[in-house]
Amino acid sequence: MSNIAIVYYSQGGATAMIAHSVAQGVNDAGAHAQLFSIEPHQVIGNQWHDEVMLSRLAAADAIIFGAPAFQGGVAAAFKAFADATTGMWRARSWRNKVAGGFAFSCRSGEDKRNTLDYFAALAAQHGMVWADAQADDAEFEMRGAAGSPVTRFAGDFPAVTAPGVEVDAAYALDPADVIAGKQYGRNVASLVARLAGEVLESPAVLARRALEAAERRL
């Protein structure tokens, strides 16, 4: 079973909610999701420190990055974490792992795209394989945060643009993006499995096979 790490920074709760939806998608695909939250207490003397987290990330098969977009770019707390991965880069600990990312912003500008571009650049520096979100063209429609219909493609990610004044505010999260987060988690898990030559099966299928095996032993 593949281990997929989701390391994120969330200030107001929305990014954390997306992270958990991505984790659910990973688990639904039959892989194992590990959530790692970047916390203020990890920043000591303007530098981020958590060797235990870094060692666990080094052991993961894939790493998905998440952060809100602040003032046109990635949040400072996540940047502090990224700066602290220099040792991982020197040791090539993340090389050839699958990487992905998601971002949140209340604004309609390109700040989310800038944040995703930063994640992709970070992954490239580490020699990682970027997971494209466009794995499924299935279309669905939901009521957005403002009550208006929102059309999404299941592979679209992220697409969080909600009215409000607080960046990363949980109340501004569009329900459609929770669904997109789950789909993205499944996409990443599927890519990891394909690269490893594995065949992923859902927990329901695995449970049914276990039950059938138990019945045969009776």
Side-chain angles (χ1 to χ4, degrees), residues 39-84:
E39 301 291 341
H41 68 79
Q42 296 168 328
V43 179
I44 304 171
N46 295 323
Q47 292 186 325
W48 184 91
H49 297 274
D50 193 328
E51 295 303 319
V52 173
M53 182 187 293
L54 289 177
S55 66
R56 290 179 178 174
L57 292 175
D61 298 298
I63 303 174
I64 302 174
F65 307 118
F70 286 172
Q71 300 300 323
V74 69
F78 187 92
K79 181 61 167 62
F81 157 78
D83 290 346

Side-chain angles (χ1 to χ4, degrees), residues 21-22 24-26 133 135-138 140 153-157 177-190:
S21 71
V22 173
Q24 183 174 341
V26 168
D136 190 342
D137 289 332
F140 60 93
F153 287 96
D156 286 351
F157 199 79
D177 292 294
V178 175
I179 294 178
K182 293 178 184 177
Q183 179 63 46
Y184 188 64
R186 288 192 291 268
N187 291 348
V188 173
S190 296

Side-chain angles (χ1 to χ4, degrees), residues 95-158:
R95 193 169 186 81
N96 295 327
K97 294 183 187 296
V98 171
F102 58 90
F104 174 89
S105 175
C106 289
R107 300 177 181 177
S108 59
E110 291 300 314
D111 46 357
K112 294 184 299 300
R113 174 53 55 189
N114 292 341
T115 300
L116 284 178
D117 287 344
Y118 176 80
F119 292 154
L122 176 63
Q125 289 286 335
H126 281 279
M128 305 174 79
V129 179
W130 187 258
D132 191 356
Q134 304 298 328
D136 190 342
D137 289 332
E139 185 176 318
F140 60 93
E141 182 176 285
M142 290 190 64
R143 290 285 166 179
S148 58
V150 177
T151 300
R152 292 279 192 271
F153 287 96
D156 286 351
F157 199 79

